[in-house]
Amino acid sequence: MRYRTRVTAPAAALIGTAAALTAAPSAYGRTRALRDEGTPGAETLGDPVFPALGNDGYRVTAYHLDFSYDATTRLVDATATLTLCATQDLSRFSLDALGLDIRAVRVGGRPATFEQVDEKLRVTPDRTLPEQARVKVCVDYTADPGKALAHTAWVPTPDGFAVCPQPNSAHTVFPCNDHPTDKAAFSFRITVPGGLRGVASGTLVRTEGLDGGRTAYTYRSRFPIATELVQITVGDYTVKNRQGPNGLGLRDVVPTARASALEPALALTPGLLEWLEQRLGAFPFETYGLLPCNSDDPNAFDFTGLETQTLTLYKPNFLLQEEKKIGSHMMHELVHSWFGNSVSPATWADLWLNEGHADFYGLLYRYERGWADSLGLTSMEARMKDTYAKGDLWRQSSGPVAAPNAANLFDSQRYLGGVLVLYALREVVGEDVFNRIERTFLERHRNSAATTADYIAVASEISGQDQSGFLKDWLYGTKTPRMPNHPDWTVTPVTPSLVAPRHREPGHYPDSTATL
């Protein structure tokens, strides 16, 4: 059924949205003749932690996700439109997809054959895609946010859903090239019944009143997003806008019934931003805010917060605590806008760049305010001395800082272990040089992905000394190096009784951050 629309957005916003959705050509490439030869694209990008993630033979330049939520069936009817650029002559390509009921696939407007195998959607167009061809791929499907899967990004709530795609579950929400190296432009259209609101990463550019009391909300991001950072949520929400530092508009999306109770936590964000911008530079995106989704169910997700781009996901009850209980962790998640979102990890082995930096600045913020941490310590030096003592144990039980596997990816080694590396580097180069390394790394790799080697290269360049040997020992060594300027610090010897066996279930990532 078609619905008549009532448009309420400014004309300029509508023109911008239309341009974003139609800019890429849908032909198979207008500068090359079509050819019948070609080979299938590889069904991996070779990630060392998640080797099955991602697909080669193309890159995605843009996604448009059109979601329609039915409050009665609690299902999502969706169309994902991807703009691909072929990097070889492609006879077949694949997308990551799991748990989606796919009805049809069109490539360049033509029906394509497809099959779902494991977590891949294999698509065979009716003719080969020439190298450098730009083409639109449309996938029609239905998703059930409550469906039991081996892993899922869906967070069902009493009045809708939110999503938590990190690290490897965005493709349970939409078919995609699910790897942080393939960042792309995103736009979203979310249609909901009366009484509910649809919200997504980016900014609202259009609101349409539809027949039957439904409303469609269209969002667009000004900056590329990695698939694992996408946020789409539906619920009985109130959107609260406020002014941040330097003219930044802030947007919080909160359950209507709890909006007043959550206000003290929401009001902390401007101060957090001001503190962090003094250290890392201007906020890298168009807006920021919190999304305490409408669920405190302990099974909804097993972490405290998640840094989906422009909206950090929380459970409401966490944010109802006093400032000294939440401020350090709110800083941790905010830091991810720089480390993790603006600069994404090139592989999941580079996760320490995200989590080490988030804990580093989160702890600095805590100690500046005199808030004791979970160990009762009140300074970065004291916490690092305690962490240093555990260094060899963590290297044996969780691997080196920059060499995780899927089971130990979110262990403390990536968090506090990463902080220890950054602390050691700061001890070697001094605080001023360290701060210049941080800003240079962020500026150089903004809106892209970076490797551990990229960080080492910037550290060497800015410090004027080759830091590769020093940092590689800290990041990849099986033994904890000596801490510069602290010859009295010692590492606790490892005995078999200290190394606890790990029985973690796949996809289970409890909090390891020290900022709680």
Side-chain angles (χ1 to χ4, degrees):
M1 178 182 297
R2 287 189 171 271
Y3 293 89
R4 296 190 301 276
T5 65
R6 180 177 70 255
V7 175
T8 61
L14 301 187
I15 292 170
T17 303
L21 302 185
T22 60
S26 60
Y28 286 90
R30 293 180 291 181
T31 60
R32 294 186 63 164
L34 295 175
R35 300 202 301 253
D36 291 331
E37 65 268 23
T39 55
E43 294 186 350
T44 177
L45 287 174
D47 190 272
V49 178
F50 296 109
L53 273 187
N55 308 274
D56 211 350
Y58 66 88
R59 290 294 178 265
V60 183
T61 60
Y63 292 86
H64 178 64
L65 304 180
D66 193 336
F67 279 25
S68 181
Y69 177 68
D70 187 319
T72 301
T73 64
R74 300 180 63 81
L75 299 178
V76 175
D77 187 68
T79 297
T81 302
L82 295 72
T83 303
L84 308 187
C85 180
T87 57
Q88 66 180 70
D89 293 335
L90 275 177
S91 60
R92 188 186 76 199
F93 62 89
S94 58
L95 302 169
D96 297 303
L98 173 65
L100 307 177
D101 181 10
I102 296 173
R103 300 187 300 273
V105 179
R106 299 178 300 282
V107 179
R110 300 171 179 266
T113 59
F114 65 91
E115 62 175 340
Q116 292 178 262
V117 180
D118 297 325
E119 299 189 22
K120 299 294 181 180
L121 171 63
R122 292 175 179 163
V123 178
T124 304
D126 68 347
R127 61 188 71 180
T128 292
L129 304 182
E131 183 180 355
Q132 298 184 353
R134 289 169 57 85
V135 61
K136 284 190 175 181
V137 177
C138 296
V139 183
D140 299 325
Y141 64 99
T142 300
D144 179 359
K147 189 173 185 178
L149 297 169
H151 59 95
T152 184
W154 295 101
V155 180
T157 63
D159 51 2
F161 62 84
V163 298
C164 52
Q166 193 185 86
N168 62 332
S169 293
H171 61 279
T172 66
V173 178
F174 58 101
C176 56
N177 201 23
D178 199 1
H179 196 272
T181 52
D182 201 10
K183 301 172 80 163
F186 271 85
S187 58
F188 312 83
R189 185 174 186 264
I190 309 166
T191 302
V192 295
L196 300 181
R197 183 185 289 266
V199 183
S201 300
T203 54
L204 180 66
V205 295
R206 180 174 182 171
T207 302
E208 304 166 76
L210 307 178
D211 288 352
R214 303 195 309 161
T215 305
Y217 300 91
T218 298
Y219 295 82
R220 183 178 68 237
S221 175
R222 286 175 49 199
F223 302 95
I225 306 178
T227 52
E228 50 108 1
L229 300 173
V230 164
Q231 184 55 256
I232 308 167
T233 187
V234 168
D236 180 7
Y237 288 124
T238 293
V239 176
K240 305 185 76 170
N241 296 298
R242 72 189 74 233
Q243 190 70 33
N246 303 312
L248 178 68
L250 303 179
R251 167 195 63 164
D252 297 307
V253 180
V254 297
T256 299
R258 307 177 78 173
S260 296
L262 288 163
E263 179 58 26
L266 307 179
L268 298 176
T269 299
L272 296 168
L273 272 164
E274 185 174 2
W275 185 90
L276 197 52
E277 284 190 334
Q278 290 174 0
R279 289 153 179 81
L280 300 182
F283 185 75
F285 300 118
E286 64 268 48
T287 186
Y288 181 72
L290 305 186
L291 168 61
C293 72
N294 195 19
S295 178
D296 286 303
D297 183 348
N299 296 319
F301 45 85
D302 56 4
F303 49 83
T304 299
L306 184 69
E307 66 275 14
T308 50
Q309 194 156 310
T310 70
L311 277 173
T312 291
L313 179 68
Y314 280 107
K315 294 175 185 173
N317 275 348
F318 174 78
L319 296 173
L320 294 178
Q321 302 177 91
E322 60 183 327
E323 181 183 2
K324 67 180 181 179
K325 297 286 188 181
I326 63 176
S328 180
H329 193 273
M330 288 177 65
M331 179 60 74
H332 172 109
E333 297 300 341
L334 180 58
V335 172
H336 280 311
S337 293
W338 284 262
F339 289 98
N341 294 16
S342 179
V343 182
S344 296
T347 76
W348 284 106
D350 301 305
L351 180 73
W352 79 274
L353 287 167
N354 301 19
E355 303 301 347
H357 277 100
D359 259 14
F360 182 85
Y361 291 100
L363 287 172
L364 284 179
Y365 185 76
R366 171 185 287 280
Y367 300 135
E368 279 193 15
R369 271 142 191 78
W371 301 333
D373 61 27
S374 60
L375 302 180
L377 304 175
T378 56
S379 72
M380 180 67 88
E381 182 174 332
R383 188 59 186 264
M384 290 299 95
K385 183 177 181 179
D386 178 84
T387 303
Y388 184 81
K390 301 169 183 173
D392 283 1
L393 173 62
W394 286 0
R395 287 170 190 269
Q396 184 164 332
S397 63
S398 297
V401 173
N405 57 40
N408 63 35
L409 179 62
F410 289 91
D411 281 1
S412 295
Q413 183 71 310
R414 258 47 72 190
Y415 291 75
L416 268 174
V419 178
L420 194 65
V421 174
L422 297 172
Y423 181 86
L425 176 62
R426 192 177 67 169
E427 289 294 292
V428 164
V429 301
E431 188 170 352
D432 289 344
V433 172
F434 177 80
N435 292 339
R436 287 196 288 118
I437 290 170
E438 298 283 270
R439 286 197 178 219
T440 302
F441 176 76
L442 291 169
E443 291 167 3
R444 187 163 297 174
H445 298 286
R446 181 171 179 160
N447 294 325
S448 63
T451 64
T452 296
D454 291 326
Y455 187 81
I456 293 173
V458 170
S460 298
E461 175 188 335
I462 299 304
S463 69
Q465 295 180 325
D466 183 1
Q467 303 293 345
S468 58
F470 176 81
L471 284 172
K472 285 178 181 178
D473 284 347
W474 276 96
L475 290 163
Y476 298 105
T478 57
K479 292 291 184 180
T480 305
R482 290 187 177 275
M483 176 60 71
N485 303 328
H486 296 282
D488 57 316
W489 288 13
T490 57
V491 179
T492 302
V494 177
T495 62
S497 62
L498 290 177
V499 183
R502 298 192 173 273
H503 303 291
R504 182 173 301 163
E505 297 177 4
H508 179 72
Y509 301 114
D511 281 308
S512 295
T513 172
T515 57
L516 290 170

